[in-house]
Amino acid sequence: MNVGLFIPCYVDQFYPNVGIATLRLLESLGVKVVFPMEQTCCGQPMANSGFQSLSAGCDKNFIRNFADCDVVVGPSGSCVLHLKEHLHSDEQPAEATRLRNNVYELCEFLTDVLKVEELPKARFPHRVGLHTSCHGQRGLKLSSMSELVAPKFSKPEHLLNLVDGLDLVPLSQPDECCGFGGTFCVFEEALSSKMGKDRVADHLRHGAEVITGGDMSCLMQLEGVLRRQKSPVRVMHIAEILTSGN
Amino acid sequence: MDTASPKHAKAAEAFLRDEENTDWHNETLWFVRSKRDRAAQSLPEWEQLREQASQIKAHTLSKLDDYLIQLEENARQNGIIVHWAANGDEHNQIVLDIMRKHKATKIVKSKSMLTEECHLNPFLIKEGIEVIDTDLGERIVQLRNEPPSHIVLPAIHLKKKHIGDLFHIHLGTEAGATDPQYLTEAARIHLRQKFLLADVAITGVNFAIAETGGFVVCTNEGNADLGAHLAKVHIACMGIEKVIPQAEHLGVFLRLLARSATGQAVTTYSSHFRKPAPGQEMHLVLVDNGRTRQLASPDFRNSLKCIRCGACMNTCPVYRRSGGHSYHTAVAGPIGSILAPNIDMKEYADLPFASTLCGSCTNVCPVKIDIHQQLYKWRQVLGEAGAVESTKKVGMTGMDVLFSHPWLYRFAGRAGRWFMQKFPSLANKPGLNPWAIHRDMPKPPEQSFRDWYAQQNQKTNG
């Protein structure tokens, strides 16, 4: 299986450690991974702003970069969901469909494809709050949703429970949105900030030392609030926690 | 088309200035959402009910013309006078003509979001007619000269103190009194007088049944019944999407409506009207006002399934923190943000963007409207129509160029990180970067992942 590593633009530029942790995690689980060097962005910023047509360049670039890969794995539920739902090509419709059906968010790749049941080296003796990102949860169905009458499950939680010493804190509103929302964070600045503050407060109230999740964009939003509050609480991508102790 | 200004963002910012009030609003609506969850969880067949309701609605919409004609015929046979209105103006004129025919001057109205949508109150008041909203929440906002901020809880943005002050001025209650029972009693006495003197009662319609020609009105206060039974004339106003095929379908919707709206098993009053009482006159006004346009659009047709329970508002993290008035439309919140641009694309171009597309609205919707997907689709329609702010379009065009050219992206990334390292105060200047008003920017790393990866490969290979 030829696995392509998709590192979203903002992770590439601002959080290289998340990319490194993702790569090391996959390699530690015996997966041979390639990182196509010319990849850029999934195109979601344009599409969510009402200009899906302006994401054609991104789509083309994505398809060109990952043409040789059987599957694509990325550490971001939001970007992966965008690709799953909207990756499009007039010239190569079949290739676009193939990639749409074979792109995975990191946690779902670990639980559904690799069927990871143990992470022997992983150790993280801290109180951790899990921010369940909306696109991962409701879009990719990475975990059950509080609105539905359905059995409870969570793929990220399953993975975090494999980490030695990790203490997952409960939250009052486990699937409340963090308020990032792509360009929403700028165009609805006041609302977005308030939502971020409220989300952080839920984690702090329950004694989290670290806030984690599968989407660095949500975590960037929460980090922005935490740093402004000069809080000692840190954010870490789930890949960083799953590789801790290695 | 002129580009719309982001009215919602500005109004939300104003609402958020009183953070304590925002928190109270947020928590109050979350409390209602939690009640809804408990009610839903108490029915193991909840998801099947939603699916059934969604399918009944989909079927009805696929044959809407047939069912409306059937409804009209059966209603007429029952002795109901049926009217058709293409838009809000026609609807208002029909109501006025009925008033004139009866030389009537006083109306008691039970809550109807359709009449809000058509701006019936100001129209009738201008014609010298007294219109009294009789739903308690609606009466409160009416006394304040405000529109409802929520379709089920019209005065949810107000606290007891606001209402105490308002009733002191208008109903003569004691200054400073905030006891809900005392205030409700005062409102009851006030409204009873209005009920007794009204010539005409207007109600909304929750469900109209094609098979029987009757209709159902749901209230928790019984005000629709008081109005309709006391007045000589009853005018029921409905959007054409409110029709359902058969009486047997009612149970599905009545079980879903109240649980989704407030967490109650069923609304206190589900009043069935089928024909006028002896000596009374009953009218049914069927209103289109853009609904057939929505029906003709495969992308947005689903929104016509809406039964106006308000669950999407209660769950919406944006609505909870911005208040209903920030949506500047009769129906606020996620569903309103789909419906409003269909009525006036330019005026409401900002609303499909007043969402993080978190998807909670879609999950609580009792008739399974894909609300957040429709908001996404509206964004595309608005983008193509040139109804999105020009700054956003310029920014997105720039991003398209950047991300379509990997070398440019690499260069810009490096330049951006360099700039942020050298001039952190500029990158964090609220005037230049809205992100930085309430949040800090991430600390820029020395190298990107890509640069690190290339370096590693170089080390390994040579």
Side-chain angles (χ1 to χ4, degrees):
Chain A
M1 184 167 57
N2 197 1
V3 179
L5 179 61
F6 164 51
I7 298 296
C9 52
Y10 68 100
V11 175
D12 176 41
Q13 293 298 328
F14 288 122
Y15 299 99
N17 288 342
V18 174
I20 296 168
T22 304
L23 179 66
R24 294 209 164 128
L25 180 61
L26 289 168
E27 285 178 345
S28 75
L29 292 163
V31 184
K32 197 175 166 309
V33 185
V34 292
F35 176 75
M37 288 295 278
E38 300 290 292
Q39 60 176 290
T40 57
C41 165
C42 66
Q44 184 175 202
M46 291 80 103
N48 271 14
S49 303
F51 300 99
Q52 203 174 298
S53 55
L54 291 178
S55 64
C58 282
D59 285 354
K60 204 170 161 184
N61 190 51
F62 188 90
I63 292 170
R64 190 167 49 219
N65 271 278
F66 290 96
D68 295 336
C69 301
D70 299 317
V71 301
V72 179
V73 181
S76 162
S78 188
C79 306
V80 166
L81 179 66
H82 173 75
L83 291 165
K84 260 196 207 295
E85 288 187 336
H86 302 297
L87 184 71
H88 172 83
S89 170
D90 283 334
E91 295 91 38
Q92 298 172 272
E95 184 60 3
T97 307
R98 185 188 72 82
L99 282 169
R100 268 210 311 271
N101 293 333
N102 287 287
V103 58
Y104 290 90
E105 186 271 343
L106 178 64
C107 292
E108 71 175 340
F109 185 72
L110 297 182
T111 55
D112 297 358
V113 181
L114 299 184
K115 305 201 187 298
V116 171
E117 291 297 338
E118 52 180 15
L119 291 165
K121 289 187 193 160
R123 180 169 162 71
F124 194 73
H126 296 285
R127 287 176 63 78
V128 175
L130 171 64
H131 172 68
T132 308
S133 69
C134 306
H135 286 179
Q137 181 187 34
R138 300 197 187 87
L140 297 173
K141 302 191 170 40
L142 297 183
S143 57
S144 51
M145 303 155 234
S146 63
E147 303 94 2
L148 301 182
V149 177
K152 300 277 172 279
F153 72 95
S154 166
K155 294 175 189 181
E157 235 179 274
H158 165 73
L159 294 167
L160 289 170
N161 284 333
L162 303 176
V163 178
D164 187 31
L166 188 144
D167 184 8
L168 205 55
V169 302
L171 298 171
S172 303
Q173 287 171 265
D175 48 15
E176 176 89 335
C177 174
C178 71
F180 177 71
T183 49
F184 179 88
C185 73
V186 174
F187 289 99
E188 289 263 12
E189 181 278 327
L191 250 172
S192 171
S193 298
K194 175 64 177 155
M195 288 167 73
K197 266 172 70 177
D198 290 353
R199 190 79 288 246
V200 161
D202 195 358
H203 286 267
L204 298 187
R205 226 178 3 254
H206 291 88
E209 295 167 71
V210 172
I211 301 176
T212 192
D215 266 271
M216 214 49 229
S217 48
C218 305
L219 294 177
M220 180 166 84
Q221 155 89 339
L222 301 180
E223 184 188 40
V225 173
L226 286 165
R227 282 166 59 113
R228 181 59 58 94
Q229 293 175 351
K230 306 208 180 316
S231 167
V233 172
R234 294 174 295 153
V235 300
M236 284 173 79
H237 190 272
I238 191 165
E240 296 178 283
I241 293 188
L242 300 180
T243 47
S244 60
N246 281 15
Chain B
M1 185 183 283
D2 289 339
T3 52
S5 64
K7 300 182 194 86
H8 181 271
K10 282 193 192 119
E13 193 185 346
F15 188 77
L16 281 155
R17 261 179 228 135
D18 185 346
E19 192 168 355
E20 203 182 314
N21 186 60
T22 305
D23 288 339
W24 174 83
H25 189 263
N26 175 21
E27 283 156 21
T28 307
L29 287 161
W30 184 258
F31 175 71
V32 182
R33 152 78 210 268
S34 308
K35 277 171 68 183
R36 171 254 169 227
D37 290 352
R38 283 197 293 278
Q41 298 289 343
S42 71
L43 293 186
E45 71 275 29
W46 181 256
E47 299 302 334
Q48 286 95 304
L49 266 182
R50 287 176 72 217
E51 182 58 34
Q52 213 179 342
S54 180
Q55 286 183 17
I56 295 168
K57 281 283 182 184
H59 166 80
T60 313
L61 291 173
S62 75
K63 295 178 153 209
L64 190 63
D65 48 349
D66 291 344
Y67 285 121
L68 286 169
I69 290 166
Q70 200 189 342
L71 171 70
E72 180 187 30
E73 277 169 8
N74 287 330
R76 282 204 170 127
Q77 273 179 16
N78 295 341
I80 301 173
I81 303 162
V82 181
H83 311 258
W84 296 86
N87 53 43
D89 290 344
E90 279 189 26
H91 161 265
N92 294 348
Q93 194 58 49
I94 288 165
V95 174
L96 181 65
D97 289 346
I98 298 169
M99 297 295 294
R100 295 268 190 262
K101 181 182 138 197
H102 289 274
K103 298 192 171 48
T105 57
K106 289 183 170 61
I107 292 179
V108 281
K109 188 154 82 58
S110 85
K111 192 149 76 64
S112 148
M113 291 315 294
L114 176 73
T115 58
E116 282 294 326
E117 176 189 317
C118 298
H119 306 292
L120 177 69
N121 285 17
F123 171 81
L124 290 177
I125 290 163
K126 218 168 65 193
E127 298 290 337
I129 288 167
E130 183 190 75
V131 190
I132 304 293
D133 282 318
T134 61
D135 172 274
L136 180 55
E138 277 234 314
R139 184 67 186 134
I140 290 165
V141 290
Q142 189 182 30
L143 289 173
R144 284 172 62 95
N145 280 321
E146 278 178 1
S149 73
H150 188 292
I151 58 174
V152 175
L153 314 156
I156 195 67
H157 58 294
L158 299 172
K159 292 185 179 176
K160 281 183 286 187
K161 186 193 167 307
H162 295 127
I163 294 156
D165 294 347
L166 186 75
F167 280 12
H168 172 63
I169 297 166
H170 293 278
L171 308 184
T173 52
E174 277 176 49
T178 57
D179 176 46
Q181 200 174 342
Y182 169 74
L183 295 176
T184 309
E185 191 58 35
R188 182 170 287 165
I189 292 164
H190 160 73
L191 284 171
R192 291 265 153 119
Q193 289 165 347
K194 300 294 180 186
F195 281 123
L196 287 168
L197 295 173
D199 311 304
V200 171
I202 293 182
T203 68
V205 170
N206 288 87
F207 307 99
I209 303 141
E211 181 192 31
T212 66
F215 57 92
V216 174
V217 181
C218 303
T219 70
N220 273 322
E221 298 163 17
N223 53 315
D225 303 67
L226 274 172
H229 293 311
L230 284 168
K232 281 245 160 16
V233 181
H234 174 188
I235 308 172
C237 305
M238 63 177 269
I240 52 173
E241 82 284 13
K242 291 294 174 75
V243 67
I244 58 172
Q246 294 173 317
E248 68 175 74
H249 298 135
L250 256 179
V252 174
F253 293 104
L254 290 178
R255 293 184 81 197
L256 286 165
L257 178 67
R259 285 183 171 91
S260 300
T262 57
Q264 290 165 268
V266 71
T267 37
T268 313
Y269 300 88
S270 302
S271 309
H272 299 243
F273 296 92
R274 188 155 171 179
K275 56 182 171 189
Q280 282 192 329
E281 198 172 284
M282 190 179 277
H283 296 260
L284 184 63
V285 189
L286 297 154
V287 184
D288 180 346
N289 205 30
R291 285 161 175 78
T292 46
R293 196 163 52 236
Q294 199 94 325
L295 186 70
S297 155
D299 280 348
F300 302 118
R301 180 178 302 150
N302 251 349
S303 62
L304 293 176
K305 290 179 178 174
C306 178
I307 57 171
R308 302 290 192 273
C309 68
C312 61
M313 302 174 187
N314 302 339
T315 202
C316 178
V318 171
Y319 177 94
R320 277 188 265 123
R321 290 173 182 84
S322 63
H325 289 153
S326 66
Y327 293 81
H328 57 94
T329 172
V331 179
I335 186 67
S337 300
I338 300 171
L339 300 175
N342 178 56
I343 294 173
D344 185 338
M345 205 196 274
K346 187 181 154 196
E347 172 68 14
Y348 302 114
D350 56 329
L351 296 185
F353 294 93
S355 164
T356 60
L357 305 182
C358 81
S360 187
C361 46
T362 301
N363 275 354
V364 293
C365 179
V367 287
K368 290 192 151 182
I369 301 171
D370 49 345
I371 301 177
H372 74 292
Q373 306 278 18
Q374 295 200 19
L375 291 172
Y376 177 86
K377 283 175 192 157
W378 258 122
R379 294 181 184 190
Q380 309 311 323
V381 172
L382 295 164
E384 270 171 37
V388 176
E389 306 96 280
S390 48
T391 46
K392 205 179 253 183
K393 185 164 189 189
V394 170
M396 292 307 136
T397 308
M399 280 176 111
D400 174 32
V401 174
L402 182 73
F403 291 133
S404 300
H405 300 92
W407 63 269
L408 183 63
Y409 160 77
R410 275 198 304 276
F411 169 77
R414 228 169 267 157
R417 286 200 314 278
W418 176 84
F419 177 82
M420 284 173 70
Q421 274 157 355
K422 295 288 173 199
F423 307 102
S425 55
L426 276 180
N428 276 301
K429 202 175 170 74
L432 296 174
N433 179 5
W435 172 276
I437 298 172
H438 293 102
R439 295 159 293 201
D440 282 3
M441 287 293 285
K443 199 165 164 283
E446 289 298 327
Q447 60 177 176
S448 65
F449 172 77
R450 183 177 321 258
D451 293 342
W452 173 86
Y453 189 84
Q455 221 172 41
Q456 293 299 109
N457 271 3
Q458 220 168 22
K459 274 186 211 162
T460 328
N461 300 332

